[in-house]
Amino acid sequence: MQSARREQEIVHHLQLVEGGIAGFLPAHGRILTPAECEALAKEIVREGAWTGVELTPTESQTRAFALLYEDEQTEMWLLSWLPCHSTGFHDHGASNVGFCVAQGTLVEQQLRFAEPPQQTTLAVGDSRAAGSDYIHSLEWETGAPALSVHVYSPPLAVVGQYRYDENGTLRRATQPGRDELTKD
């Protein structure tokens, strides 16, 4: 019984490798839910499909990325995180998101009303699923580099970046989804 199950797992893995990252996608033709985005990110990490992917450094040279897959409904990214890198607080525009830590650890913060942000350390295999209303910040904690897989549906066209203005008022500024996010 275990041998048949193991054989099925090997066949499934080979199909995924032969189909590339696209092999992970369910037949969709629609916007994926946050839970579906998270499940995809977790499967890519679990299967090791991110290993050996060449990363492109950002303009600031503080991190690197690779577009793993893109179609009209979905995009998948491998993002790297180095010491002192933080996205700052942001949302994902109209996109659902699921992400999973592949290497190292990240710290996620979420804004809370009249209290300090809630912090959670995310280790390898830890994941999140969120809709477009999810506001958070991610930053490097350990790993040289830390790596995470992110799945967006629809593709990330715009993000909202949250910052305090000179009067201490929290403001949301939109920017293209493929621009690098920073804390400052």
Side-chain angles (χ1 to χ4, degrees), residues 94-166:
S95 298
N96 294 321
V97 63
F99 68 91
C100 184
V101 178
Q103 178 176 295
T105 57
L106 300 175
V107 172
E108 179 183 46
Q109 294 187 60
Q110 292 179 293
L111 291 174
R112 298 186 302 170
F113 183 72
E115 293 189 35
Q118 177 181 333
Q119 288 195 73
T120 305
T121 298
L122 302 172
V124 172
D126 289 342
S127 63
R128 291 285 187 271
S132 60
D133 60 346
Y134 194 69
I135 300 170
H136 72 147
S137 171
L138 288 172
E139 64 185 54
W140 174 91
E141 184 173 72
T142 67
L147 296 168
S148 55
V149 172
H150 297 246
V151 177
Y152 301 99
S153 186
L156 191 61
V158 172
V159 295
Q161 184 86 57
Y162 295 83
R163 290 196 167 59
Y164 291 102
D165 69 14
E166 64 278 353

Side-chain angles (χ1 to χ4, degrees), residues 91 158-161 172-176:
D91 63 43
V158 172
V159 295
Q161 184 86 57
R172 180 183 188 267
T174 59
Q175 66 185 60

